[in-house]
Amino acid sequence: MALGDSFTEGVGDVDAQRPNQVRGWADRVAEVLSAQGDWEYANLAVRGKKIGQVINQQLDQGLSMAPDLVSIYAGGNDILRPTADLDALMRGYEGMVRRFSEAGCTVMLFTGFDTVESPLFSRTRPRTAIYNEKVREIADKHGAIIADSWRWREFSDLRYWAADRLHMNELGHALMASKVLNLLGEEQVAEGNWAEQIQAPVLPELAMNSRGEKLKEELGWATEHLVPWIKRRLTGTSSGDSLSAKYPEYVRLALPAG
C-alpha cells in the first residue's frame, strides 16, 4: 500500500490509460511484485496533500486494509509553504508510522531530495534537511525501512525531472522504482529475483541550448508552471482537489507488454 502526495501518486509519469492519467514509481514496483509473487496493491496518494491531510484522509482507510507493506511519504507540500511547524507536523507523522508499525505492517519512509542545484527550491534546503533528520529518527525508533532520496545524487540530474521541475518524469519514476525494489530486496521483504526486473533507465544526451533558447525555455516554464503554482498557493487550492485515490482497493497490476 502507498500513501502520500504527488510523489507517490506518480505525477510526471504520464499514462493516459491509468487512473488520474499517471503511472509512477509505486505502480512500477507493484507491477514487478505482482508478476513475481502473490502481491496486491493499493495507492491512496493524491497530489497536493500535506501531512495533516494524509493523516486525516488516508491513515484510517489504510489501516483498515491491513497491508503487509506500506510506503509513506508526505511533507514536501508543507515544506514549500512560507511557514511550517515541522516539530508539530512530524509528531503527527510519527504517530502515523507508529500506528502502522503497531498493526504489524512493514513501513517504508522516504527522505526529501537535495535541492542544492535548484534555483527555485534551493531556499527550502535547510527545512528539508531538518525534515529528513526527523524522518531518519522516526525510522530508527519504529524499525522502518528508509529510502534516503537525499543521498541518491543521481536525482540532481534534470533529465530525471518533468517540465514543471517539481515532479520526476518517466525516467525519474523508473529510477526510483529500481531503487525501491533493490532496497526491498536488501531488506528481504520478499523472496524472488524481482529486484532485478527494473533496471535504471538510460538517459538521453544533454541538449546544448544557446543563451537565447535557455531564456525562452525559462520564460515558457514560468508562464506554464510557476505562475499557476504561485496562484494555487495564494488561493489555497490544490491540483488534487478534484481527484481521488488511484487504487482505493487492492488490485493486481500487470507489467506492460514490451
Side-chain angles (χ1 to χ4, degrees):
M1 171 175 291
L3 276 64
D5 56 24
S6 59
F7 169 75
T8 302
E9 184 190 351
V11 174
D13 188 4
V14 179
D15 187 334
Q17 304 304 313
R18 298 191 182 227
N20 296 356
Q21 298 187 327
V22 292
R23 187 181 181 190
W25 69 265
D27 282 21
R28 292 169 180 268
V29 168
E31 290 160 8
V32 173
L33 294 180
S34 294
Q36 298 294 321
D38 187 23
W39 287 82
E40 293 182 317
Y41 166 64
N43 189 328
L44 307 184
V46 177
R47 67 195 73 179
K49 298 303 181 183
K50 295 181 286 186
I51 289 176
Q53 291 171 311
V54 171
I55 294 171
N56 293 332
Q57 300 171 15
Q58 301 177 23
L59 173 58
D60 287 343
Q61 181 178 354
L63 285 168
S64 72
M65 297 171 70
D68 296 307
L69 170 66
V70 58
S71 75
I72 305 173
Y73 174 75
N77 292 305
D78 298 274
I79 289 170
L80 290 174
R81 289 326 192 256
T83 58
D85 185 346
L86 281 179
D87 290 319
L89 290 170
M90 296 310 285
R91 284 195 291 271
Y93 197 84
E94 179 178 0
M96 179 166 51
V97 174
R98 174 179 51 78
R99 290 187 64 187
F100 276 109
S101 180
E102 290 177 349
C105 308
T106 298
V107 181
M108 181 170 62
L109 305 177
F110 292 79
T111 60
F113 295 103
D114 189 351
T115 56
V116 64
E117 297 185 34
S118 169
L120 179 62
F121 300 114
S122 59
R123 292 183 180 180
T124 66
R125 192 182 187 224
R127 195 181 292 178
T128 302
I130 294 170
Y131 167 87
N132 287 349
E133 187 56 28
K134 290 183 177 295
V135 168
R136 295 184 186 109
E137 290 175 356
I138 292 170
D140 288 344
K141 184 175 180 179
H142 297 283
I145 301 168
I146 187 160
D148 207 341
S149 304
W150 178 274
R151 297 178 180 176
W152 292 338
R153 297 298 173 177
E154 303 97 310
F155 288 100
S156 64
D157 193 318
L158 290 178
R159 288 173 290 182
Y160 286 119
W161 293 87
D164 64 5
R165 304 181 187 177
L166 182 61
H167 301 100
M168 296 180 294
N169 60 17
E170 176 184 354
L171 297 176
H173 279 281
L175 178 60
M176 182 59 67
S178 175
K179 293 280 191 181
V180 168
L181 281 168
N182 281 300
L183 179 60
L184 294 177
E186 291 171 3
E187 296 288 339
Q188 298 182 336
V189 171
E191 297 180 354
N193 63 353
W194 43 264
E196 302 174 357
Q197 298 302 308
I198 291 184
Q199 302 299 321
V202 177
L203 292 173
E205 292 185 9
L206 278 171
M208 303 298 290
N209 294 331
S210 66
R211 183 177 179 181
E213 289 171 332
K214 290 180 180 178
L215 178 59
K216 182 179 180 181
E217 181 180 324
E218 292 298 313
L219 290 172
W221 167 76
T223 301
E224 185 175 355
H225 300 289
L226 180 59
V227 172
W229 181 80
I230 293 174
K231 183 178 179 180
R232 289 196 297 272
R233 300 287 81 74
L234 294 175
T235 58
T237 59
S238 167
S239 57
D241 284 347
S242 62
L243 297 176
S244 57
K246 291 166 58 177
Y247 298 110
E249 304 292 341
Y250 285 118
V251 297
R252 288 184 65 87
L253 294 185
L255 284 165

